[in-house]
Amino acid sequence: MTALPAPLSLWVDTAPAPDRTGEPVPPEADVAVLGAGIAGLTTALLLARAGRSVVVLEAERVAAGVSGHTTAKVSAQHGAKYAELTSRHGAAAAKVYAHSQADALEWIAATSAELAIDCGFTRADSYVYTTRQRTLDSLKREADAAAAAGLPASFVDDVALDVPALGAVRTTGQAHFHPRRWLLGLAGQVERAGGTIVENARATGLNGRTVRTSRGDVVAGDVVVATHYPVLDRGLYFARLEPVRDLVVAGPAAGNASPDGMFLDADTHHSVRGYTENGTPMVIAGGEHYRVGAHVHVERRYRRLAGWADAHAGLHRVTHRWSAHDLSTVDKLPYVGRYLPGTRNLWVATGFGQWGMTGGTVAGHVLAARILGEPHPAADLYDPNRFDARSVLDLAEDNLTVAKYLIGDHVAALRRTAKLDDLGPGDAEIVRTGGELVAAYRDEAGQLHTVGAHCTHLGCLVSFNDAEKTWDCPCHGSRFGVDGEVVQGPAVRPLRRGGFGAGPGG
């Protein structure tokens, strides 16, 4: 296989955006929305249309974060979701979930048409398939549960993909689109409705109703934290969310024909959808799921995914590749609502579990309704402060994983004998120098980059991502550049720099 290109999202690459980095932070607003992804911008638009003064504070650029690094399926079929959802939460809850997600899909369809947002919104049937005999019965139960929840779902024997599928759950009338073009369209509508969007304004804290940012403070009547990973450590959200990543590769379709439909392997979680860019049919394939910061060879996983997509999905060559960063809750339902039981004006949206296109849209509608004092039929289902006894065990299990990394990585690092001078071009390692643990990377040009190895969130040791050249925290998913700057939260402060050795950051 030829060399893979440098990581770059197809969506970010093909949708230039206006520069909002010079926009000043207003001193006050009715509502401050932290995060300009799909949840944040949907919330902001609905509130601005309702007459509230809204400011959206984005740490980087609009739609360049999590929402710009997805496969962008707009579907209420969320893997094999509904059988487990019915078993765990009941048939009524499954219906509420299905209806809210389907309503989100239709709102995107109607709004993109009404506002003439050219985001490539395309209807497509969605399939969850299996190639393994032992999974067939569970997929049949899933088809029944999804249909009972109100989705147009049924069990079928085959799929239009070059895989030895034994059966699948087919859900008709779903869709896919270009997520960044959709979000840039929403951002423009927010501004037309009187809202303000400020880029490169990272929220660093909250004091009463004053939001502290890297660009100044804003006093707001309500604050919505839609930063993917909640950046405020209130509510212990870092202990209630599992950070995971899926890899994505994209490129022209062999035979000039992209897949007709959207496909997900129930066992391996490889996924495929088609897309057309400037008349060129393309294949978008995802998979190779892993926990953020886990000690895996990410570059090797990219190559494995590209090989699978070549063999089974008609990916002619890889022109783009990127990672989708996701968070899952302990009971597999998003957290949308009051940040804490006692907070009246602080709200959160997170934990969409790989289905953020409809999930984030639902969140926007739920939060806007609650801030406006209006009812929403899904508000109780997504309440962040709900209690589920089974979740206590799941939470304990996930935090055992955190403890394993927190303790085990430190023990392993203290045993290492590598030195800074041992690193060759392209090498990265946690090394001991001057009695401290240092995250060291020597780039291909031979320049050494050194930063503190302890995540600034809660002190876990970071791990090197060899594909994206980042230091990732396996405990709660924070990510940092080789210069120590925050790439992804919950951390809001960079890794410590200075005094470790030669080179930038050192």
Side-chain angles (χ1 to χ4, degrees):
M1 181 182 296
T2 58
L4 296 178
L8 175 63
S9 164
L10 171 67
W11 316 127
V12 174
D13 189 35
T14 56
D19 188 347
R20 298 178 172 92
T21 58
E23 187 73 32
V25 176
E28 59 183 8
D30 291 336
V31 184
V33 177
L34 314 186
I38 194 160
L41 288 175
T42 302
T43 305
L45 176 60
L46 294 172
L47 290 172
R49 282 179 165 180
R52 299 295 178 92
S53 63
V54 179
V55 57
V56 180
L57 302 168
E58 168 55 43
E60 296 182 2
R61 304 294 302 278
V62 169
V66 172
S67 294
H69 291 78
T70 172
T71 55
K73 297 176 181 178
V74 189
S75 175
Q77 184 186 54
H78 294 172
K81 179 83 173 184
Y82 290 92
E84 180 183 1
L85 184 58
T86 302
S87 173
R88 184 164 186 160
H89 297 281
K95 287 182 180 180
V96 171
Y97 184 89
H99 289 173
S100 66
Q101 302 295 324
D103 286 349
L105 188 162
E106 297 306 330
W107 184 82
I108 292 172
T111 304
S112 62
E114 173 193 348
L115 301 178
I117 297 176
D118 183 14
C119 60
F121 185 90
T122 303
R123 293 283 183 175
D125 291 349
S126 180
Y127 298 82
V128 178
Y129 70 88
T130 184
T131 62
R132 301 176 185 178
Q133 187 69 38
R134 66 174 180 266
T135 308
L136 271 180
D137 286 345
S138 66
L139 283 191
K140 291 176 181 178
R141 289 193 296 272
E142 173 64 21
D144 291 342
L151 295 183
S154 61
F155 184 83
V156 296
D157 292 327
D158 55 16
V159 299
L161 192 68
D162 187 16
V163 293
L166 300 177
V169 182
R170 176 191 181 190
T171 304
T172 60
Q174 307 306 291
H176 51 70
F177 67 173
H178 191 303
R180 184 165 159 91
R181 288 177 182 154
W182 165 247
L183 292 175
L184 292 174
L186 286 189
Q189 292 299 318
V190 169
E191 292 170 327
R192 290 184 185 90
T196 300
I197 299 174
V198 183
E199 295 179 322
N200 282 3
R202 182 178 296 280
T204 58
L206 181 67
N207 183 9
R209 295 190 177 185
T210 300
V211 181
R212 308 288 188 192
T213 86
S214 58
R215 297 265 313 280
D217 298 344
V218 56
V219 178
D222 288 276
V223 177
V224 174
V225 181
T227 52
H228 187 59
Y229 216 127
V231 294
L232 307 176
D233 277 346
R234 311 173 185 194
L236 299 179
Y237 282 95
F238 63 84
R240 301 164 59 193
L241 294 163
E242 180 186 9
V244 296
R245 289 180 82 76
D246 279 284
L247 308 182
V248 187
V249 293
N256 210 34
S258 58
D260 183 15
M262 302 182 293
F263 307 90
L264 176 67
D265 188 314
D267 302 296
T268 68
H269 302 290
H270 284 130
S271 73
V272 178
R273 59 157 283 201
Y275 175 69
T276 300
E277 176 65 25
N278 292 328
T280 300
M282 302 185 74
V283 172
I284 299 170
E288 298 299 323
H289 184 88
Y290 71 97
R291 185 183 177 100
V292 177
H295 306 304
V296 299
H297 294 284
V298 180
E299 187 70 21
R300 189 179 302 164
R301 288 180 176 236
Y302 266 118
R303 292 182 176 279
R304 191 162 59 202
L305 175 61
W308 180 89
D310 177 29
H312 299 288
L315 179 62
H316 177 59
R317 60 186 173 87
V318 177
T319 58
H320 296 81
R321 60 168 171 155
W322 63 95
S323 291
H325 191 106
D326 289 296
L327 299 171
S328 295
T329 68
V330 291
D331 66 354
K332 312 305 180 188
L333 290 172
Y335 297 139
V336 182
R338 295 192 189 279
Y339 208 99
L340 287 167
T343 57
R344 294 182 55 83
N345 304 97
L346 182 61
W347 310 87
V348 68
T350 189
F352 302 119
Q354 302 174 283
W355 300 103
M357 299 298 94
T358 55
T361 303
V362 171
H365 283 77
V366 170
L367 291 178
R370 299 206 65 184
I371 290 170
L372 295 171
E374 300 170 354
H376 192 285
D380 289 343
L381 181 67
Y382 298 127
D383 185 353
N385 303 296
R386 61 187 180 266
F387 177 76
D388 173 7
R390 181 175 162 186
S391 295
V392 175
L393 296 176
D394 294 336
L395 181 64
E397 182 178 349
D398 187 63
N399 281 279
L400 284 175
T401 300
V402 171
K404 179 192 73 172
Y405 284 111
L406 180 61
I407 298 170
D409 285 0
H410 277 85
V411 171
L414 291 172
R415 293 173 177 169
R416 290 175 183 152
T417 58
K419 296 180 174 60
L420 293 176
D421 291 343
D422 296 335
L423 298 179
D427 289 345
E429 186 65 84
I430 302 295
V431 301
R432 293 187 68 187
T433 177
E436 296 187 67
L437 292 174
V438 176
Y441 167 66
R442 192 178 298 279
D443 62 30
E444 297 295 342
Q447 185 69 53
L448 182 66
H449 304 256
T450 56
V451 290
H454 291 92
C455 176
T456 56
H457 177 228
L458 289 179
C460 293
L461 284 184
V462 294
S463 175
F464 193 66
N465 179 330
D466 62 346
E468 298 174 87
K469 305 299 185 286
T470 58
W471 292 104
D472 300 351
C473 177
C475 290
H476 304 112
S478 297
R479 303 178 63 237
F480 306 86
V482 294
D483 60 356
E485 287 298 317
V486 176
V487 174
Q488 214 133 29
V492 296
R493 293 177 291 109
L495 296 176
R496 193 170 77 81
R497 290 171 284 194
F500 301 126

